[in-house]
């Protein structure tokens, strides 16, 4: 999804749409609709407005779309709500095994198809997510003084 579509969907899918969201952003509903309309070339969200839109809606599609455009993926930096550092490491090891299995299957015939690329990308993204949680558990353990991140 590109950033224009992400902004449009963020506003359109907000409860009450632009009519209820615009006043919270300090603009009229018509102006907000024009700013997020992918077919309008004259009105655009500023970076500050996009930031405020994400803060008000708690919808970060715009941020994810920007990251994807430039080849990045994002992960929240919050501490995990459950689990421990050891559980995180075990999940990461399992994810690495899953990724290795997917890559091995994809390479059996000597070529990698677009569907196999998608499977590999999905497994890599999932593993990145798990590894980010390992780091979060380690940081939480450090703050709490607990050796296992509980």
């Amino acid at each position: 999804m590109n950033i224009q579509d992400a902004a449009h969907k963020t506003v359109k899918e907000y409860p009450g749409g632009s009519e209820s969201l615009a006043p919270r952003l300090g603009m009229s509903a018509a102006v907000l609709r024009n700013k997020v309309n992918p077919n309008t070339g004259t009105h655009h969200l500023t970076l500050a407005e996009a930031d405020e839109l994400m803060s008000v809606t708690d919808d970060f599609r715009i941020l994810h779309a920007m990251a994807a455009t430039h080849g990045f993926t994002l992960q929240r930096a919050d501490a995990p709500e459950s689990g421990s550092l050891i559980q995180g490491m075990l999940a990461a090891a399992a994810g690495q095994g899953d990724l290795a299995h997917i890559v091995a299957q994809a390479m059996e015939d000597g070529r990698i198809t677009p569907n196999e690329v998608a499977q590999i990308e999905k497994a890599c993204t999932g593993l990145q997510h798990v590894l980010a949680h390992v780091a979060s558990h380690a940081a939480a353990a450090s703050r709490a003084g607990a050796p296992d991140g509980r």
Side-chain angles (χ1 to χ4, degrees):
M1 177 180 312
N2 66 47
I3 58 172
Q4 292 170 323
D5 289 340
H8 183 255
K9 287 178 185 281
T10 298
V11 171
K12 187 174 181 180
E13 294 175 10
Y14 185 78
S18 61
E19 297 296 328
S20 65
L21 185 54
R24 298 183 69 194
L25 300 172
M27 63 182 78
S28 72
V31 168
L32 179 58
R33 277 192 303 273
N34 283 331
K35 285 181 176 250
V36 300
N37 184 342
N39 300 316
T40 300
T42 56
H43 297 76
H44 304 284
L45 284 176
T46 66
L47 288 175
E49 289 168 338
D51 182 57
E52 182 69 12
L53 176 61
M54 289 184 286
S55 294
V56 169
T57 62
D58 202 34
D59 183 328
F60 300 98
R61 281 183 265 201
I62 296 169
L63 189 59
H64 285 278
M66 286 181 103
T69 296
H70 299 285
F72 292 88
T73 59
L74 302 175
Q75 174 63 41
R76 286 191 77 97
D78 302 346
E81 295 179 12
S82 63
S84 69
L85 183 57
I86 299 299
Q87 289 171 322
M89 285 299 301
L90 292 172
Q96 286 176 311
D98 292 343
L99 175 60
H101 180 72
I102 291 167
V103 170
Q105 282 185 319
M107 296 186 69
E108 280 180 350
D109 62 0
R111 66 182 194 85
I112 298 178
T113 67
N115 284 341
E116 291 166 335
V117 169
Q119 289 177 325
I120 292 168
E121 287 175 342
K122 183 177 178 182
C124 286
T125 300
L127 187 53
Q128 287 172 339
H129 180 78
V130 170
L131 290 170
H133 276 126
V134 170
S136 295
H137 279 299
S142 174
R143 287 190 301 272
D148 65 355
R150 289 184 199 184

